[in-house]
Amino acid sequence: MSETTADQPVEYFLQDMEYYGRSDRTRAAYRRVLEDFASFLDSRSTGFDEATNRDCMAWIHRQRGQSAESTVATYAAYLHRFYTYMNSVDAFESNPMTLVMEELDERIETNPTRRDLSVREMRAFVGEITHPLDRAIVVTLLKTGMRVGELCNLDVRDLRLPESPAAAEYDLSGRPQLEGRGASLFVSAAPTRGQVTHGERRTDSNKRKRSTVIPVDDELAAVLTEWLAVRPDAHSPADPLFVRTRDHWGSRLSAKAARRVVVNHAENAGWHRTGGGSDENVTPHYFRHFFTTHMRDRTGDRGIVKYLRGDVAGDIIDTYTHNWGNRVRETYEQHVYSLC
């Protein structure tokens, strides 16, 4: 670790963000948050590399008196990413935000002010969607709880559908990580905005702490097979799973375009209005909340839900990885809701 890294961690982090292609606006937002946290630590005579999880929680508690809960969650995520990166370059020895984020994930995702939709209502919503791409986007998000950027970063190689009719045209045997897993999706933690993955510079980042294998049930397999039957040839050497069909034909679907698809259908259902907040608008992130809430209630196993969401790391996720076949898939298939 260089002296500059130790003495000016914020500047080091922001400079690397610039190298990774993050926008001026994004870096300015990180700077505001990190400088506020630095000032808070100064008042406690503590440095970034000495901060504990209690220091972080105290700072977050102070934010709650000044900002909305969603803003507080964003600030916490910024601080967590800062520490995660600084750990990766060996600037700091630990990440005091790890335990904090696990606690915040539990509390934020059960926000009772969100629109409360039943599985029956969501099933009727899905039933109105006939466009193969739109249907595949919505059902994949609802069945997996993945983030919209993670969905858009999926490549055909990340999908295993060994018994799908689409296997005659596509290689759906999946990555080596999917061998012996049956129908499943591999959601990698690797893709980062501005970085090249499988020969393509990505426009969206995945935010998983660790790569995850998610089961694909019969409903999702059928929806993805219907999509692959009409999917245009992809322009990218990475062979993206989801490509555009309305404009930029064959280009990888972007998170912005996927959000637009969801919002359009939500508006038609009366579940989204311009100017509405997260408490009433249905968006891709709402689908992640829907998945989390219903699967947590149905399984009674928060660990498996955290694993599927990609919210856990280290020995916790390793436990579920090693017991994938007789724990994760069985629990998932037994409890996942029917949408089609």
Side-chain angles (χ1 to χ4, degrees):
M1 178 179 64
S2 70
E3 183 177 348
T4 301
T5 308
D7 293 344
Q8 298 181 326
V10 173
E11 296 303 324
Y12 179 91
F13 174 71
L14 294 175
Q15 185 176 63
D16 278 16
M17 288 187 72
E18 181 179 6
Y19 294 156
Y20 284 125
R22 298 300 176 88
S23 68
D24 291 344
R25 181 177 179 181
T26 296
R27 287 184 288 114
Y30 271 90
R31 180 183 293 280
R32 287 194 298 272
V33 171
L34 295 175
E35 288 183 348
D36 183 79
F37 183 62
S39 177
F40 175 79
L41 292 179
D42 284 344
S43 70
R44 293 183 160 219
S45 300
T46 301
F48 278 110
D49 59 340
E50 302 169 324
T52 66
N53 63 304
R54 290 181 64 85
D55 291 321
C56 295
M57 280 303 301
W59 176 74
I60 290 170
H61 180 71
R62 189 182 72 169
Q63 303 304 314
R64 291 196 184 106
Q66 306 170 2
S67 305
E69 191 65 43
S70 59
T71 302
V72 174
T74 298
Y75 290 171
Y78 282 4
L79 188 58
H80 180 52
R81 290 169 198 161
F82 165 73
Y83 271 110
T84 298
Y85 184 76
M86 298 305 282
N87 281 170
S88 72
V89 297
D90 296 324
F92 300 154
E93 293 183 0
S94 63
N95 181 352
M97 282 296 294
T98 299
L99 293 176
V100 175
M101 290 304 294
E102 290 186 9
E103 178 62 27
L104 287 178
D105 283 342
E106 290 292 326
R107 193 171 56 78
I108 292 168
E109 288 301 328
T110 55
N111 183 350
T113 65
R114 288 184 184 272
R115 182 185 290 272
D116 185 17
L117 295 174
S118 67
V119 172
R120 178 180 294 181
E121 289 173 304
M122 194 61 77
R123 187 179 299 127
F125 172 74
V126 170
E128 295 295 321
I129 303 174
T130 57
H131 190 287
L133 175 59
D134 294 8
R135 190 172 175 84
I137 291 169
V138 170
V139 174
T140 301
L141 290 172
L142 282 167
K143 285 278 191 174
T144 66
M146 69 176 67
R147 299 173 178 86
V148 66
E150 294 169 343
L151 174 135
C152 295
N153 272 323
L154 289 172
D155 297 329
V156 171
R157 78 187 75 208
D158 297 321
L159 174 64
R160 177 174 170 79
L161 291 180
E163 300 180 7
S164 171
E169 184 174 352
Y170 298 94
D171 179 4
L172 299 180
S173 58
R175 295 167 171 260
Q177 295 94 328
L178 299 179
E179 290 183 8
R181 299 290 177 86
S184 48
L185 280 164
F186 180 82
V187 187
S188 174
T192 302
R193 181 178 180 269
Q195 298 296 103
V196 175
T197 302
H198 300 308
E200 180 186 355
R201 191 172 301 279
R202 301 304 172 104
T203 59
D204 297 295
S205 297
N206 287 5
K207 300 178 181 178
R208 301 210 155 215
K209 296 178 183 178
R210 288 279 295 275
S211 300
T212 312
V213 177
I214 302 179
V216 170
D217 71 347
D218 291 343
E219 280 189 352
L220 180 54
V223 168
L224 291 174
T225 296
E226 291 171 2
W227 157 240
L228 289 171
V230 299
R231 169 184 173 271
D233 291 337
H235 295 165
S236 166
D239 203 18
L241 179 59
F242 296 106
V243 298
R244 300 176 73 132
T245 60
R246 293 177 174 87
D247 55 9
H248 304 288
W249 185 268
S251 298
R252 181 183 297 274
L253 185 74
S254 67
K256 181 178 180 181
R259 288 189 190 98
R260 188 68 251 166
V261 166
V262 172
V263 168
N264 284 343
H265 289 289
E267 287 175 340
N268 291 338
W271 293 351
H272 191 286
R273 69 176 180 85
T274 302
S278 61
D279 57 338
E280 65 173 302
N281 280 349
V282 169
T283 63
H285 187 70
Y286 179 88
F287 290 162
R288 183 167 166 83
H289 161 77
F290 184 90
F291 174 86
T292 301
T293 301
H294 285 273
M295 289 297 286
R296 187 180 286 159
D297 290 346
R298 286 165 174 246
T299 65
D301 190 330
R302 293 188 173 188
I304 280 185
V305 176
K306 278 178 166 288
Y307 165 80
L308 294 170
R309 282 168 47 95
D311 284 344
V312 291
D315 58 346
I316 299 175
I317 202 168
D318 288 339
T319 296
Y320 289 106
T321 299
H322 295 154
N323 292 280
W324 197 93
N326 51 349
R327 180 76 182 276
V328 175
R329 178 176 284 283
E330 290 180 7
T331 301
Y332 177 89
E333 291 186 339
Q334 181 180 353
H335 297 287
V336 71
Y337 35 76
S338 173
L339 293 173
C340 303

